[in-house]
Amino acid sequence: MTKRGQITLFIIIGIVLVLSAALLIYLMSPLSFQETKVLPENVKPVTGFVEECTAIVGETAIRQLAAGGGWINVPQGFLLEPSSYLSLDKFNLQKLPYWYYDGKDYAPTLQVMEEELENYIAQNVETCLDEFTVFDDHFKVRVYDDPTAKVEIQKNNVLITLDYPIKIDTLDSRETAKRREFTTLLDANLREIHEFATDLLESENEQEHFERITMDLVSQNPDIPLTGFDFDCGAPKNWYLPTVKQQLQEQLFYNLPRIRFKNTAYVPFIAPEQNYERLKEKYPASEIFAGNTPEPGEKPEDAYEYFHYFLDVSDVDYPRLTAAARYLPNWGMDFIVTPSDGPYLKADRGTGPKKFLRFLCIQTYHFTYDIIYPLMVTITDQQSFEGQGLSFNYAIPIIITDNQGDRSPYAMRSFSPQNPDTSVCSDYNTDRVIDVRAVGAFDYTGIKEPLNGVNISYECFTHLCALGKTTAQGGVYRFSTFEPGFCANGYLIAQKDGYLEGRTQLTSASDTVQIEMKKLRELDYDVVPIDSRDLTVDDDFEPDEQVLIHITETNTGYEIYKTYPANTVMTDSDYQSLFGSLELPQDTTIELLEDNANYELDLLLIEGNNIVGGYKAEWNVKFVDIIDENNMTFYVIRKHPPVLDDIQKQAELFDYIENGNYSLTVKPTFK
């Protein structure tokens, strides 16, 4: 009986211990967490700190999401398909996924964007809070669970609700408070930006606006052949395909930023819009074809832009938004022209069959273009974040097949300047061995010597074959190979990071081939605005100002395209002070020849869609000027007073940019 009573006692004690442990665990868990209904005033600095960190991390998340086209982390599906995104830097670190790819719409929904923001905030807010160490002298803060976030993208705002159960004990007054839910409302017009971006994409897929503009540029440029005939008895006309492609790339670079979008806060046209509409009614296409054209002075100077570059992509008004389209040549372009003879486009030549006409030589041509290039659209709301502004970027491919826009799935291809054709690369002439040496400077002396690790390839007409890489052989860096046998008199190409591509024709003159490569020097650069009135430093750039930079080295044809300021993810200064600068790749460097060089500089200062300044000059750089430099500054002239609405003054501005003597005083500087 005594033994049975002891067993019963132990069972009761065990049950009590288990229940006590369970009760303790429950009380310590978030499930039992009950918020203090009325927070004492003296604990509000802690709760305010959580809300402040939520706002800081939330703004950073929104800016990263906007810069990445609606994603903070690029989905794995895009990463597995390199042709499904636009690479914004030469290291392929900044990737902007296409909203339209392979005939399908891949635009992120608002729900996807909310989830991206929620994950980022939950993962990073504790870094900002830093375990509440800033309050160690006054409070003891206990955290009951990991933070989770709920984000709602509302009209004109983003609402963040942070679930983060904490208990706050004051060290002096011994008061205790519990808080779980923290709400932050950010002034970010993300919903409206997303709606307009979606409208634009749908309109482009239906009406092919940018394909039409591209073919307009092709048809208007006399250096880009399309359809025509000439009376010429000389040699058949021909065009060099790489030059034709370059012409189109430059036209897109300069003209796409001129596009304006209806129902947004676009830069006004010179005349009231009803003037252009009356002009369209008075001179329909039938009247134009009949030879009836507007009288002098009847047509505003920017009438072409109104009728061709003013796109109607949405029925909804977006008075807070501005939008701009952009293409940079270094983003690449697929460019195929039919018919072609290797790298040349040629006209057919014949004579007239009739009497007298047979003495006339007629050259006719008709070419069809297959073109694909990436377009980036930037939508900006200057009022977001209390006037600091918010810019949203996304990319779409512009696809043309046989001179027509083509949004069909099979039309999508990758962007590459040359497609390697490996089917012929195994064909060699084993009777001849060639010795290839790529020479260039590799130190401060500028003395040219054979280089190690240079990639050697062979290009002949449309074929491109990778051959190998220079290595140390017999005491010298070189590459030995049999002569490519599939095509004679092609070009050996040498490529190496930090050097300008070198090429030389392979002939039968010598079995030793030397390819000269010019060394490039990478410099950090910035652009400084200059006041046109006294050529002194002007105020900093406005948020909607951008500089288009085109640099050509006249001896080598080396070209550089840049935009400034670079497309970066802005970070709040408070965020930086709490957990350091956000390390993201930025396009703030430029590569110039580490040699004597003569550059043509062409800079345009654009405000919204209008040109408000520029800089054009020749710039001679000597080897000794650049060899020890790491930083440099370009300058652009900002015209004062502004000339946005004055035709005469706009003409004077262009003349000033082209012919002004400012370049004698204002020149790029190394620092």
Side-chain angles (χ1 to χ4, degrees), residues 22-155:
L23 179 61
L24 181 62
I25 293 172
Y26 172 76
L27 292 173
M28 295 177 63
S29 73
L31 296 175
S32 67
F33 193 89
Q34 297 293 326
E35 284 192 302
T36 303
K37 292 183 178 180
V38 180
L39 284 176
E41 285 295 326
N42 56 352
V43 302
K44 289 187 177 179
V46 178
T47 59
F49 180 61
V50 177
E51 292 167 352
E52 182 181 0
C53 271
T54 304
I56 291 172
V57 176
E59 179 175 348
T60 302
I62 291 170
R63 291 196 183 281
Q64 287 197 38
L65 180 102
W71 288 278
I72 296 176
N73 297 302
V74 178
Q76 187 67 22
F78 288 103
L79 298 178
L80 296 175
E81 181 51 69
S83 63
S84 68
Y85 59 81
L86 167 61
S87 181
L88 295 174
D89 65 283
K90 64 180 180 181
F91 301 108
N92 198 29
L93 298 177
Q94 285 184 293
K95 301 176 179 67
L96 194 60
Y98 291 120
W99 277 26
Y100 172 87
Y101 175 71
D102 198 23
K104 299 176 183 178
D105 185 344
Y106 286 95
T109 63
L110 286 175
Q111 181 181 352
V112 168
M113 292 165 56
E114 288 171 344
E115 291 173 355
E116 287 280 294
L117 295 173
E118 290 168 353
N119 292 334
Y120 183 93
I121 294 168
Q123 293 169 10
N124 290 277
V125 70
E126 285 191 306
T127 306
C128 176
L129 294 170
D130 193 25
E131 298 181 346
F132 297 95
T133 54
V134 69
F135 298 109
D136 282 350
D137 294 337
H138 302 284
F139 301 95
K140 180 180 179 181
V141 182
R142 179 180 175 182
V143 178
Y144 281 75
D145 201 2
D146 294 332
T148 59
K150 179 65 177 176
V151 172
E152 183 180 348
I153 300 176
Q154 302 176 340
K155 182 176 176 62

Side-chain angles (χ1 to χ4, degrees), residues 84-375:
S84 68
Y85 59 81
L86 167 61
S87 181
L88 295 174
D89 65 283
K90 64 180 180 181
F91 301 108
N92 198 29
L93 298 177
Q94 285 184 293
K95 301 176 179 67
L96 194 60
Y98 291 120
W99 277 26
Y100 172 87
Y101 175 71
D102 198 23
K104 299 176 183 178
D105 185 344
Y106 286 95
T109 63
L110 286 175
Q111 181 181 352
V112 168
M113 292 165 56
E114 288 171 344
E115 291 173 355
E116 287 280 294
L117 295 173
E118 290 168 353
N119 292 334
Y120 183 93
I121 294 168
Q123 293 169 10
N124 290 277
V125 70
E126 285 191 306
T127 306
C128 176
L129 294 170
D130 193 25
E131 298 181 346
F132 297 95
T133 54
V134 69
F135 298 109
D136 282 350
D137 294 337
H138 302 284
F139 301 95
K140 180 180 179 181
V141 182
R142 179 180 175 182
V143 178
Y144 281 75
D145 201 2
D146 294 332
T148 59
K150 179 65 177 176
V151 172
E152 183 180 348
I153 300 176
Q154 302 176 340
K155 182 176 176 62
N156 300 333
N157 297 291
V158 174
L159 176 65
I160 304 171
T161 303
L162 186 71
D163 188 328
Y164 192 49
I166 61 173
K167 178 184 176 184
I168 309 165
D169 293 316
T170 60
L171 299 182
D172 49 5
S173 62
R174 296 186 179 180
E175 287 188 284
T176 297
K178 293 182 178 180
R179 182 79 180 273
R180 178 170 199 145
E181 189 174 284
F182 301 86
T183 302
T184 301
L185 190 66
L186 294 180
D187 171 25
N189 193 15
L190 199 54
R191 174 181 283 270
E192 199 169 73
I193 289 175
H194 180 268
E195 289 173 355
F196 177 71
T198 303
D199 289 348
L200 195 158
L201 176 64
E202 291 176 355
S203 180
E204 160 62 16
N205 285 340
E206 292 174 1
Q207 301 187 42
E208 300 170 348
H209 302 286
F210 298 104
E211 286 81 358
R212 173 185 56 78
I213 290 173
T214 301
M215 288 309 301
D216 283 349
L217 293 173
V218 169
S219 64
Q220 293 167 11
N221 190 328
D223 295 322
I224 302 178
L226 186 59
T227 299
F229 64 91
D230 290 311
F231 297 104
D232 189 344
C233 293
K237 294 187 67 173
N238 64 79
W239 298 264
Y240 186 48
L241 187 60
T243 301
V244 174
K245 175 181 176 180
Q246 180 184 339
Q247 285 279 340
L248 179 58
Q249 288 181 301
E250 290 183 359
Q251 282 201 294
L252 292 170
F253 174 73
Y254 285 114
N255 285 283
L256 288 179
R258 297 165 57 193
I259 294 174
R260 307 177 215 192
F261 298 90
K262 293 182 179 180
N263 299 325
T264 66
Y266 57 86
V267 177
F269 289 91
I270 296 172
E273 291 185 20
Q274 56 265 32
N275 291 16
Y276 302 89
E277 294 300 322
R278 283 198 297 266
L279 197 65
K280 183 166 62 176
E281 293 175 3
K282 184 177 179 181
Y283 297 98
S286 57
E287 290 293 317
I288 299 295
F289 289 139
N292 299 321
T293 58
E295 298 293 331
E298 189 179 6
K299 182 178 71 172
E301 292 292 330
D302 60 352
Y304 184 86
E305 292 189 17
Y306 182 87
F307 293 122
H308 293 267
Y309 290 170
F310 193 28
L311 303 186
D312 188 358
V313 300
S314 177
D315 295 330
V316 181
D317 287 332
Y318 297 98
R320 288 179 51 168
L321 303 185
T322 60
R326 182 169 56 159
Y327 166 76
L328 297 184
N330 57 9
W331 289 346
M333 172 185 282
D334 271 356
F335 191 77
I336 301 173
V337 187
T338 306
S340 63
D341 184 1
Y344 292 96
L345 312 178
K346 295 183 178 180
D348 291 327
R349 188 178 66 183
T351 57
K354 305 275 184 184
K355 186 179 180 180
F356 301 119
L357 286 179
R358 68 177 180 270
F359 297 105
L360 297 177
C361 300
I362 304 173
Q363 298 196 27
T364 62
Y365 53 89
H366 173 71
F367 298 102
T368 59
Y369 288 80
D370 295 343
I371 303 168
I372 306 177
Y373 66 88
L375 178 84

Side-chain angles (χ1 to χ4, degrees), residues 1 5 22 87 101 103 128 136 151 171 273 281 325 342 403 435 445 491 503 538 569 576 605 630 644 661:
M1 188 70 179
S87 181
Y101 175 71
C128 176
D136 282 350
V151 172
L171 299 182
E273 291 185 20
E281 293 175 3
N403 298 344
D435 180 3
T445 64
Y491 286 84
R503 61 171 54 213
D538 205 350
V569 177
Q576 293 184 1
L605 176 59
N630 296 307
L644 300 182
N661 60 3

Side-chain angles (χ1 to χ4, degrees), residues 296-584:
E298 189 179 6
K299 182 178 71 172
E301 292 292 330
D302 60 352
Y304 184 86
E305 292 189 17
Y306 182 87
F307 293 122
H308 293 267
Y309 290 170
F310 193 28
L311 303 186
D312 188 358
V313 300
S314 177
D315 295 330
V316 181
D317 287 332
Y318 297 98
R320 288 179 51 168
L321 303 185
T322 60
R326 182 169 56 159
Y327 166 76
L328 297 184
N330 57 9
W331 289 346
M333 172 185 282
D334 271 356
F335 191 77
I336 301 173
V337 187
T338 306
S340 63
D341 184 1
Y344 292 96
L345 312 178
K346 295 183 178 180
D348 291 327
R349 188 178 66 183
T351 57
K354 305 275 184 184
K355 186 179 180 180
F356 301 119
L357 286 179
R358 68 177 180 270
F359 297 105
L360 297 177
C361 300
I362 304 173
Q363 298 196 27
T364 62
Y365 53 89
H366 173 71
F367 298 102
T368 59
Y369 288 80
D370 295 343
I371 303 168
I372 306 177
Y373 66 88
L375 178 84
M376 185 169 79
V377 178
T378 300
I379 303 171
T380 301
D381 174 29
Q382 295 292 356
Q383 299 180 37
S384 288
F385 295 117
E386 299 180 352
Q388 296 181 33
L390 174 65
S391 292
F392 188 100
N393 299 326
Y394 71 103
I396 55 175
I398 306 307
I399 308 170
I400 294 170
T401 302
D402 294 337
N403 298 344
Q404 302 290 327
D406 188 354
R407 311 301 284 177
S408 57
Y410 64 84
M412 189 63 194
R413 296 187 295 271
S414 61
F415 307 118
S416 56
Q418 174 68 283
N419 295 317
D421 181 3
T422 58
S423 62
V424 298
C425 294
S426 58
D427 184 5
Y428 288 96
N429 174 18
T430 56
D431 294 331
R432 183 188 182 194
V433 176
I434 56 174
D435 180 3
V436 184
R437 306 182 187 189
V439 298
F442 62 91
D443 60 20
Y444 67 93
T445 64
I447 299 174
K448 294 179 174 59
E449 297 183 9
L451 300 172
N452 185 30
V454 178
N455 293 304
I456 305 298
S457 54
Y458 184 71
E459 179 186 82
C460 195
F461 293 105
T462 60
H463 303 294
L464 179 66
C465 296
L467 300 181
K469 184 178 292 187
T470 59
T471 58
Q473 300 178 27
V476 66
Y477 294 121
R478 61 186 178 184
F479 173 72
S480 297
T481 182
F482 291 119
E483 177 187 28
F486 65 87
C487 183
N489 299 319
Y491 286 84
L492 288 166
I493 302 172
Q495 296 172 311
K496 179 180 173 68
D497 286 344
Y499 290 82
L500 194 62
E501 178 183 285
R503 61 171 54 213
T504 190
Q505 191 169 22
L506 178 61
T507 66
S508 58
S510 174
D511 293 338
T512 299
V513 180
Q514 182 169 290
I515 308 174
E516 183 175 349
M517 303 186 71
K518 291 188 176 293
K519 196 173 189 322
L520 297 172
R521 187 168 188 85
E522 186 175 78
L523 303 102
D524 290 317
Y525 81 96
D526 62 0
V527 182
V528 173
I530 296 296
D531 192 320
S532 65
R533 293 168 293 193
D534 54 10
L535 299 184
T536 59
V537 175
D538 205 350
D539 296 335
D540 289 340
F541 292 113
E542 297 295 331
D544 60 344
E545 284 187 320
Q546 190 175 51
V547 182
L548 304 181
I549 304 171
H550 179 205
I551 302 173
T552 304
E553 205 286 313
T554 57
N555 298 315
T556 61
Y558 173 49
E559 287 191 296
I560 303 169
Y561 293 89
K562 293 285 182 179
T563 60
Y564 185 90
N567 179 41
T568 61
V569 177
M570 294 181 286
T571 304
D572 187 275
S573 59
D574 293 331
Y575 177 94
Q576 293 184 1
S577 66
L578 286 167
F579 43 120
S581 298
L582 185 66
E583 294 296 332
L584 286 174

